[in-house]
Amino acid sequence: MLGAARRSGCVLGQLMQSLRPAATAARSYSATPKEMTVREALNSALDEEMSADPSVFLMGEEVGEYQGAYKITKGLLDKYGPDRVLDTPITEAGFTGIGVGAAYQGLRPVVEFMTFNFSMQAIDHIINSAAKSNYMSAGQISVPIVFRGPNGAAAGVGAQHSQCYAAWYAHVPGLKVLTPYSAEDARGLLKAAIRDPDPVVFLENELLYGESFPIKAEVLDSSFSVPIGKAKIEREGKDVTITAFSKMVGYALQAAEILSKEGISAEVINLRSIRPLDRAAINASVRKTNRLVTVEEGFPQHGVGAEICMSVVEDSFEYLDAPVERIAGADVPMPYAANLERLAVPQVEDIVRAAKRACYRSSSMAANA
C-alpha cells in the first residue's frame, strides 16, 4: 500500500501541474441514436468530463486494465493513460482517503466502488473527511469528489452485497446523493455530479447497466446535465402519486400501466436526487392526486419513503384523502435463495396493490363520511 500511495502521490502531483482551462470543443455526433444503455451513458459522461477538465481523474479497483468491473470505464485507460485512470489495491479506506485528499487540493476525483456495500470500509472518509470539511473549515475547503458504483440488490449475491445505501448517505449533511434510473438520468446526473463543488454519492443499479432507454438529441450534447435536486415526472396522473428511484422507477411505471387498465390514473415521480429531495415536486403532485405511495428497495425503518411521507404530512396533510402507503424491502438481511430474494424486494404487484388500497380506502372514507 505504501508503494501505491507514493505512486498515487506522484501521479496527483503531475495532475496538479498539468491543470489547464477546460476544453470548450463539444463532441460532434454524426447521427442521433434512438436508444442508449445506462452503461454507455455513464461511460460517455466520464469520457466527456475527463476531456473537458484535466483535473478529473478516475480511481478504483479494476477501473483501468480490466476496463471496469462492469465496463463503465471501458476505453478510458487507453485514451487518458495511467496518470488519470488509476487501478488501486483492494483497500477502499486507502484509495478513498487518497481521493479526498486530492479533492482538497483542487482535483476532481471520481472514486468507483465495485459495489457500494464495500463503501462501508471507507465510510469514515466519505462522512468525516469529505462531507464535513466545507462546514468545519468555514467554507475554506471544498471537496469536489464523486463516489460512484452499483447500489442495492443485484441477483443472488447475498446479504452482504445487497443493501441500498440511499437512506444511509442521505442522512448526512454535506453530501449530495443521486440515484439515476434511465440513460438520460445517468448521463446528465453524472456530469452534474462531477462539476459540483461538493461531495456526491452516486448510486447506480447493476441490473440497469445493460438496459436501453430512448434518448433525445439534446441529451447527447457535451454541455447537457440534469440539475441536482430536481425530480422528474415520468408519467402524469390524477388519482395517486407514486414516488420511486433507481430500478424501482421502472417497476412503478409498469404498475401505472396496469392500474390504467383498471381506471386508475397514477402519476409516477422519478426522484433522481435523494439529497437534496425535491419536496416541492412531491407535494405539488400529492395536492393534485390526494394520495401517495412511496417505493424503495431499502429497509423500511428510517427510509427514504419515511422522509417523503413526513414531508407530505408536514406540508400537504389536509390534501390527503387516504393514509399514505409505503412499499420497501423486507426488514431482514437479503436472502441468497432466489425465491426468498424476490419476496424481500418490492415487486410490481406490491405497488399495484398499494395504489388500489389508497384509492379504494379514500372512496370508502368518502362514502362513510
Side-chain angles (χ1 to χ4, degrees):
M1 180 61 207
L2 181 59
R6 286 173 176 165
R7 179 179 177 276
S8 297
C10 178
V11 168
L12 297 180
Q14 293 171 359
L15 283 169
M16 287 296 293
Q17 293 174 8
S18 67
L19 288 179
R20 61 184 184 275
T24 57
R27 174 182 291 191
S28 60
Y29 297 90
S30 57
T32 301
K34 294 181 180 179
E35 290 191 337
M36 175 179 274
T37 66
V38 170
R39 177 181 288 107
E40 291 168 340
L42 293 168
N43 179 268
S44 68
L46 288 170
D47 185 4
E48 290 177 8
E49 293 306 301
M50 291 182 73
S51 177
D53 186 348
S55 69
V56 178
F57 72 99
L58 311 180
M59 63 191 311
E61 296 153 2
E62 300 184 345
V63 298
E65 294 289 346
Y66 191 66
Q67 307 291 311
Y70 302 97
K71 303 301 179 264
I72 305 301
T73 56
K74 184 178 180 179
L76 299 181
L77 175 63
D78 291 341
K79 187 169 184 179
Y80 297 102
D83 285 352
R84 294 184 66 192
V85 182
L86 283 71
D87 280 322
T88 67
I90 304 175
T91 169
E92 283 75 15
F95 64 73
T96 303
I98 291 172
V100 173
Y104 283 175
Q105 298 301 315
L107 296 176
R108 292 182 175 272
V110 178
V111 176
E112 177 180 307
F113 296 117
M114 195 174 291
T115 162
F116 252 90
N117 297 274
F118 301 159
S119 76
M120 294 183 73
Q121 299 292 327
I123 200 166
D124 179 58
H125 285 306
I126 296 170
I127 294 175
N128 283 326
S129 301
K132 299 177 181 177
S133 291
N134 188 262
Y135 179 85
M136 294 179 70
S137 68
Q140 296 179 73
I141 299 176
S142 63
V143 191
I145 188 170
V146 177
F147 306 102
R148 56 154 297 270
N151 170 70
V157 292
Q160 293 172 311
H161 299 77
S162 300
Q163 291 170 243
C164 175
Y165 284 89
W168 289 58
Y169 287 117
H171 183 68
V172 182
L175 288 179
K176 294 175 181 176
V177 181
L178 306 181
T179 54
Y181 161 60
S182 64
E184 177 181 324
D185 289 353
R187 182 172 160 79
L189 287 172
L190 185 53
K191 282 175 163 285
I194 293 171
R195 298 170 189 175
D196 200 88
D198 298 316
V200 178
V201 172
F202 197 86
L203 303 174
E204 302 153 13
N205 187 287
E206 177 185 339
L207 299 178
L208 288 175
Y209 283 150
E211 192 163 329
S212 295
F213 292 87
I215 200 159
K216 300 175 183 177
E218 56 264 32
V219 176
L220 298 176
D221 190 278
S222 61
S223 64
F224 174 79
S225 68
V226 170
I228 293 175
K230 295 295 182 182
K232 179 185 179 184
I233 297 177
E234 294 283 351
R235 179 180 178 131
E236 293 190 358
K238 59 183 178 62
D239 294 326
V240 59
T241 296
I242 303 174
T243 66
F245 60 92
S246 191
K247 189 173 186 292
M248 290 295 107
V249 176
Y251 283 18
L253 289 169
Q254 292 178 52
E257 185 63 29
I258 294 170
L259 290 165
S260 71
K261 296 175 182 176
E262 301 188 30
I264 297 174
S265 173
E267 181 150 293
V268 177
I269 297 181
N270 173 7
L271 295 174
R272 283 181 162 178
S273 175
I274 306 302
R275 186 181 184 109
L277 187 65
D278 194 349
R279 301 172 193 274
I282 295 167
N283 277 278
S285 179
V286 170
R287 292 184 180 202
K288 177 176 69 172
T289 67
N290 310 116
R291 302 168 189 89
L292 172 66
V293 177
T294 71
V295 187
E296 64 187 307
E297 277 191 41
F299 302 128
Q301 186 161 325
H302 310 303
V304 175
E307 179 65 24
I308 292 172
C309 291
M310 195 63 235
S311 174
V312 170
V313 167
E314 289 173 339
D315 296 338
S316 305
F317 180 74
E318 66 272 25
Y319 289 87
L320 287 171
D321 287 344
V324 297
E325 297 278 349
R326 242 186 342 146
I327 303 297
D331 199 22
V332 297
M334 183 64 69
Y336 173 75
N339 58 333
L340 297 179
E341 183 182 60
R342 189 180 189 281
L343 292 172
V345 177
Q347 302 297 323
V348 173
E349 53 265 34
D350 299 322
I351 304 171
V352 171
R353 281 195 297 267
K356 286 182 177 180
R357 278 197 304 268
C359 292
Y360 296 156
R361 287 172 79 175
S362 62
S363 299
S364 176
M365 290 165 63
N368 295 329

